[in-house]
Amino acid sequence: MNAANGSLGSASPAGRQAGDPPAALKVLLDAADVRTDGSRPWDLQVHDPRFYRRLLSEWSLGVGESYMDGDWDCERLDQLFERLLRSDIESRAVGLARLKLAASLVPCLLVNRQRRERAFVVGERHYDIGNDLFERMLDPRMVYSCAYWERARTLDEAQLHKLEMICRKLQLRPGMSMLDIGCGWGGLARHAAEHHGVTVTGITVSREQKALAEQRCQGLPVTIRLLDYRDLQGRFDRIASVGMFEHVGPKNYAVFFETAHRLLEPEGLFLLHTIGLDRATARTDPWIERYIFPGGKLPAARQVAEGLEPWFVLEDWHNFGADYDRTLMAWNERFEAAWPELSSRYGERFRRMWRYYLLSCAGFFRSRQGQLWQLVLSRRERRAVYRSVRPHGAPAA
C-alpha cells in the first residue's frame, strides 16, 4: 500500500452499498482493525465494488487510482494508512497483489531510474505543476521539507526553526560560501544569506523553482542554477542538501557522495536532510512513482551509511521523523483551505490525488515506517572538533 487533517472524504450515499469485501481482503483489513462501510473515522466507505478488484489485482496503484476515481472514501485517510502500515499489510498480500509486488522489484533492481538523462523528469512532473499550489500549501518561505516542531506552534515557526537549526549545525559564519543541492524555492538559501552572511549557490532541476527562487532571493548574494548535481564544479565551505537525496537512487549514492566530497573544502561541513525507511527495500511505491515523485527512492539507514563511508566522517545523525506527520497535516490543512482558489485550474481528480498523497504520507510517518534524518558529515582531513547541535533559545527572526 502507499505510504502518505481533518474530516475529509464523504460518507457513502444512501442506497449505494458496494457489498461485502472478498474474504482475502477482509483478512487484511481485520488485521488493521479497518472495516468497510463502518462508522469509525478510519473505516472505508466503498461506493463501487470495482475497488475490491483493483486492490487485489493492482495493490497500491489500484487503491490510489480508485480513490482518485471516487470508488471509495475515508473520513481520516491519515488514520487509515497508519493502521494499515502498522499491521504490515504488504507482507500479507495474496494472489495477484503479491505477484504485482514481486514484479515491481524488477525495474528497481535492473535499471538506474535516476540516471543523468532523467534528472529533470521529477522537476517537470512535480515541482513545475504550479507555483500557485505550493505558495498556498507551504509556509511563507516555501520550504517543502519536514519542519521542526519541538518548540513551534505554527508551520511558519516550525520551518523557521528548521532552517536556523540547519545553519547552526553547519556553523555558518559571514563570508563563507555555501552550496544548496536541491534548493527548492530558495528558502534555505535566502535565510542563510540574510541571517548568516554567507554567499549561496543553489541548484534545482525545476524551472519554476528557479524562476521564483531568483525573485525571492533578489538583492542577496544568492545564485540559483538549473543543474544536475553531477555537473557541479567548484569548492564550497559548506554544503546542504535538504529533501533532495530521495531522488538520487541507490545506484547513484556513490556518485552523490563522491561529488559532495569533491565540492567540499577540507575543513568544511556537509548537512544531508532526507526521508528514510525503517528497513531496506528495493521497491518503490507504484502510485507515488506514477503520480507524485517519478524516480523517487527512499533509503534505509544502512544504505546511507554504506554510501557515505568511503568519503565522509559521520559527525551527527538526528532523527525527527515524527515531525513530518505534523508537517504533512499542516500542508493538507492549508491545501484544503486554499482549494476554492485552486479548483478552477486543477480540478476535483487532482484534489483527491493531492489529498491522498499528503494524508497517506502522514500515516506513513505516524506508523514509523517513515523516518526523517539530518546527518552532519565532514571530510577526514578536517581538524576542528564538531559538537552536535540541537535548537536552544529563539532562532533568528
Side-chain angles (χ1 to χ4, degrees), residues 106-124:
V106 176
C108 296
L109 293 171
L110 299 181
V111 179
N112 184 355
R113 301 161 73 92
Q114 300 84 16
R115 57 192 181 276
R116 188 188 298 263
E117 55 267 33
R118 285 180 52 84
F120 291 83
V121 172
V122 69
E124 295 164 357

Side-chain angles (χ1 to χ4, degrees), residues 25-199:
L25 176 57
K26 190 173 187 308
V27 170
L28 295 176
L29 296 180
D30 284 347
D33 189 26
V34 174
R35 302 171 191 158
T36 57
D37 299 319
S39 60
R40 300 167 301 178
W42 60 86
D43 285 332
L44 296 162
Q45 309 300 324
V46 181
H47 307 318
D48 193 312
R50 66 179 176 174
F51 162 71
Y52 301 135
R53 297 192 301 272
R54 296 172 82 173
L55 187 156
L56 292 173
S57 63
E58 296 290 327
W59 201 236
S60 68
L61 182 61
V63 172
E65 289 184 335
S66 64
Y67 181 82
M68 292 164 62
D69 292 339
D71 293 349
W72 64 279
D73 275 301
C74 177
E75 183 182 346
R76 290 294 299 267
L77 283 169
D78 54 308
Q79 294 182 12
L80 169 65
F81 278 94
E82 177 192 8
R83 288 174 174 272
L84 293 175
L85 293 169
R86 283 192 181 275
S87 74
D88 200 16
I89 191 170
E90 197 160 284
S91 69
R92 303 169 184 270
V94 296
L96 287 174
R98 180 165 287 280
L99 293 175
K100 180 67 72 172
L101 285 168
S104 70
L105 287 171
V106 176
C108 296
L109 293 171
L110 299 181
V111 179
N112 184 355
R113 301 161 73 92
Q114 300 84 16
R115 57 192 181 276
R116 188 188 298 263
E117 55 267 33
R118 285 180 52 84
F120 291 83
V121 172
V122 69
E124 295 164 357
R125 290 175 50 188
H126 185 83
Y127 299 105
D128 287 350
I129 59 177
N131 284 337
D132 58 341
L133 167 66
F134 292 108
E135 282 177 313
R136 287 161 178 78
M137 184 182 84
L138 304 177
D139 67 292
R141 295 169 186 81
M142 293 187 71
V143 180
Y144 194 24
S145 55
C146 181
Y148 192 70
W149 289 90
E150 183 180 7
R151 293 178 173 85
R153 297 162 297 175
T154 66
L155 178 64
D156 188 13
E157 286 184 352
Q159 291 292 16
L160 173 60
H161 293 186
K162 189 268 298 292
L163 294 180
E164 183 61 19
M165 178 168 67
I166 289 172
C167 293
R168 293 184 182 184
K169 286 182 177 183
L170 285 172
Q171 300 177 351
L172 296 184
R173 297 191 302 274
M176 283 184 170
S177 61
M178 174 178 157
L179 171 64
D180 186 357
I181 303 177
C183 64
W185 291 274
L188 174 60
R190 178 176 175 174
H191 182 85
E194 271 188 327
H195 298 289
H196 295 271
V198 299
T199 300

Side-chain angles (χ1 to χ4, degrees), residues 18 20 24 54 72 88 126 201 221 231 291 308 312 320 335 382:
D20 294 331
R54 296 172 82 173
W72 64 279
D88 200 16
H126 185 83
T201 298
D231 296 325
Y291 291 100
L308 68 87
F312 290 104
F320 51 101
F335 170 68
R382 180 178 164 90

Side-chain angles (χ1 to χ4, degrees), residues 167-288:
C167 293
R168 293 184 182 184
K169 286 182 177 183
L170 285 172
Q171 300 177 351
L172 296 184
R173 297 191 302 274
M176 283 184 170
S177 61
M178 174 178 157
L179 171 64
D180 186 357
I181 303 177
C183 64
W185 291 274
L188 174 60
R190 178 176 175 174
H191 182 85
E194 271 188 327
H195 298 289
H196 295 271
V198 299
T199 300
V200 185
T201 298
I203 66 166
T204 175
V205 294
S206 164
R207 296 181 187 278
E208 292 295 320
Q209 284 187 336
K210 178 180 184 295
L212 189 54
E214 287 176 331
Q215 292 179 28
R216 296 169 73 88
C217 295
Q218 195 169 12
L220 294 168
V222 175
T223 302
I224 307 295
R225 302 178 65 190
L226 190 69
L227 193 69
D228 177 59
Y229 70 92
R230 286 163 282 210
D231 296 325
L232 275 163
Q233 300 296 325
R235 296 295 283 269
F236 300 88
D237 297 310
R238 299 292 188 262
I239 299 176
S241 181
V242 181
M244 178 271 176
F245 192 70
E246 300 88 336
H247 303 299
V248 170
K251 293 183 181 298
N252 304 301
Y253 290 164
V255 173
F256 178 84
F257 285 113
E258 181 183 8
T259 300
H261 183 270
R262 170 174 56 82
L263 296 167
L264 186 65
E265 293 284 2
E267 287 292 319
L269 292 172
F270 170 28
L271 183 138
L272 177 66
H273 171 122
T274 182
I275 298 171
L277 292 170
D278 64 334
R279 67 194 81 170
T281 175
R283 185 179 298 111
T284 294
D285 181 86
W287 187 86
I288 289 285

Side-chain angles (χ1 to χ4, degrees), residues 353-384:
M353 178 189 77
W354 207 253
R355 175 193 294 165
Y356 186 88
Y357 152 52
L358 295 173
L359 294 180
S360 64
C361 285
F364 167 64
F365 286 99
R366 203 175 304 162
S367 76
R368 292 177 60 80
Q369 285 192 19
Q371 305 295 315
L372 190 286
W373 302 320
Q374 280 189 356
L375 286 67
V376 178
L377 310 174
S378 66
R379 292 176 50 141
R380 286 181 173 82
E381 302 96 312
R382 180 178 164 90
R383 296 185 178 184

